[in-house]
Amino acid sequence: MADWLDAVTFNDQGLVCVTAIDAHDNSVLMQAWMNREALEETVKHGEMVYYSRSRQRLWQKGESSGHTQRVLGLWLDCDGDAIIAKVDQRGGIACHTGHKSCFYRRLEDGEWLEESPVLKASEDIYGQ
């Protein structure tokens, strides 16, 4: 087992929070989870691999959409329980809704307002 993995503090479910940041403009793209195996696979292959809590399995970002994330750097916070990943977001879309970022809604006057456009319809990405 790699020593660097021992510095990561996984929660009770064996997961660590990961925030993906666009390396080109530093925008926050998405937040997801990794287990130990996902983190190992990410480092081994240089592509972001997450753990899907709903599907209970590993998933490579973009495995269905083609919008993969090439890893340019990983940072571990001081407590060891959160990771930031700087990525090259291929296709310019990180969100399954077709937005660049999963964080496209901003709270204003008690309402969540969409502040960025859909770049590609979900149906066109996933063929549904």
Side-chain angles (χ1 to χ4, degrees):
M1 198 61 52
D3 289 342
W4 63 269
L5 270 170
D6 295 336
V8 179
T9 304
F10 295 93
N11 67 16
D12 293 343
Q13 291 81 45
L15 303 174
V16 64
C17 176
V18 181
T19 303
I21 309 266
D22 189 308
H24 303 288
D25 65 10
N26 289 320
S27 59
V28 176
L29 296 174
M30 59 180 282
Q31 185 277 315
W33 299 93
M34 285 182 169
N35 62 9
R36 189 178 206 84
E37 184 182 2
L39 187 50
E40 287 176 307
E41 289 295 308
T42 294
V43 170
K44 181 178 178 183
H45 298 290
E47 298 279 334
M48 293 301 288
V49 176
Y50 298 103
Y51 181 78
S52 171
R53 295 177 299 166
S54 60
R55 293 176 273 180
Q56 300 286 299
R57 69 170 182 86
L58 298 184
W59 61 281
Q60 181 179 350
K61 176 66 177 147
E63 66 187 26
S64 300
S65 66
H67 299 145
T68 59
Q69 295 174 336
R70 184 170 57 93
V71 179
L72 299 179
L74 296 172
W75 286 262
L76 184 64
D77 81 336
C78 56
D79 295 323
D81 62 359
I83 294 173
I84 289 179
K86 279 230 177 174
V87 301
D88 176 23
Q89 178 63 59
R90 298 204 178 110
I93 297 171
C95 186
H96 73 283
T97 65
H99 289 87
K100 174 187 176 181
S101 167
C102 293
F103 296 94
Y104 59 88
R105 297 178 287 187
R106 178 177 46 86
L107 186 62
E108 186 174 310
D109 297 325
E111 254 185 278
W112 291 107
L113 303 176
E114 288 192 20
E115 63 177 9
S116 69
V118 171
L119 300 176
K120 192 172 187 180
S122 302
E123 307 83 54
D124 295 334
I125 295 170
Y126 300 103
Q128 299 170 354

